Amino acid sequence: MIDYLSGKLVYKDPTYVIIDVNGIGYHVKISLQTYTEIKDEEQIKLLTFLHIKEDAHTLFGFKKEDEKRLFLLLLSINGVGPSTGLMILSSLSSLEIEQAILAGDVATIQHVKGIGAKTAQRIILELKDKVGKGGTDASSTSLGFLKSSNKIREEALQALITLGFPKAAAEKNIAAVLKKTTGEISLEDLIKASLKTS
């Protein structure tokens, strides 16, 4: 798996970039969010996700961790492929997506091209406990805190999976701990508490 690319920005388009990494040009699909963030950097680092199909290997790039995390969450929804995920991230900011999911705002998500009412409802239903901080109102939470809590949540999830927990059980435990927690929690405390939650 290619986790990130760091190199010279050779070409930039609203839908993709070409990055030269030691003489190899990588074609990376991006959202409008990432396009806006890149500006006119000569040297660039993008977090990446490699999507493999029988007939194609496609790289998707993200300037920020929260955008990549949301993209992967969207891909976990039945009926949402990489192109649709990128379309959602190009139509709404990461914060707008999280707020719409937490508020159960089907209309906002349905405004995205290619998203029907059923898919929008599925996104909200399946991701409500996975975005923000265990279901708190994102509009009353600073973006910085959302990012740090999401990073801790992801690291804790990976740790629990490495320890042998099934992904669904690990996510449920983490959500249960975060729901009871007021304020911030350290990664170590979150993992420990999640291990104790049955």
Side-chain angles (χ1 to χ4, degrees):
M1 180 60 74
I2 301 170
D3 202 51
Y4 67 88
L5 290 175
S6 184
K8 185 181 178 188
L9 180 61
V10 177
Y11 182 81
K12 182 178 84 162
D13 177 269
T15 59
Y16 75 94
V17 292
I18 297 172
I19 303 173
D20 182 320
V21 182
N22 298 324
I24 300 171
Y26 289 90
H27 184 288
V28 186
K29 291 193 172 189
I30 58 168
S31 71
L32 284 175
Q33 280 191 57
T34 291
Y35 177 77
T36 306
E37 291 284 338
I38 290 170
K39 300 186 174 67
D40 294 316
E41 298 172 25
E42 277 189 37
Q43 291 296 313
I44 187 174
K45 178 181 177 181
L46 286 186
L47 302 164
T48 55
F49 170 75
L50 178 61
H51 181 67
I52 299 173
K53 290 197 303 186
E54 279 182 25
D55 59 345
H57 288 200
T58 311
L59 269 173
F60 294 86
F62 312 91
K63 189 72 175 153
K64 292 186 172 175
E65 184 69 49
D66 63 330
E67 188 189 5
K68 179 179 177 179
R69 186 189 62 80
L70 258 180
F71 178 77
L72 295 176
L73 284 174
L74 288 166
L75 287 195
S76 72
I77 306 297
N78 189 22
V80 178
S83 297
T84 306
L86 216 56
M87 179 68 72
I88 295 169
L89 290 165
S90 291
S91 305
L92 302 162
S93 72
S94 296
L95 187 60
E96 284 170 335
I97 296 165
E98 292 201 354
Q99 286 176 336
I101 290 168
L102 292 171
D105 186 352
V106 174
T108 295
I109 295 171
Q110 207 182 324
H111 280 311
V112 178
K113 185 179 178 284
I115 299 287
K118 282 186 178 175
T119 305
Q121 286 165 355
R122 204 180 296 129
I123 288 170
I124 288 167
L125 187 69
E126 294 185 31
L127 299 186
K128 201 155 195 171
D129 289 336
K130 296 179 185 177
V131 301
K133 186 179 178 293
T136 55
D137 182 7
S139 61
S140 65
T141 314
S142 75
L143 186 56
F145 181 68
L146 268 178
K147 275 195 219 163
S148 66
S149 71
N150 286 333
K151 188 165 186 280
I152 287 172
R153 179 192 283 257
E154 287 302 305
E155 287 174 1
L157 178 60
Q158 285 308 313
L160 291 176
I161 291 169
T162 305
L163 290 168
F165 271 71
K167 189 177 180 187
E171 285 175 343
K172 190 178 171 187
N173 287 10
I174 290 167
V177 172
L178 290 176
K179 221 167 219 179
K180 294 178 203 163
T181 307
T182 52
E184 296 198 43
I185 184 170
S186 72
L187 177 61
E188 190 181 345
D189 288 344
L190 179 54
I191 293 167
K192 280 180 187 173
S194 299
L195 287 169
K196 290 173 192 167
T197 306
S198 53

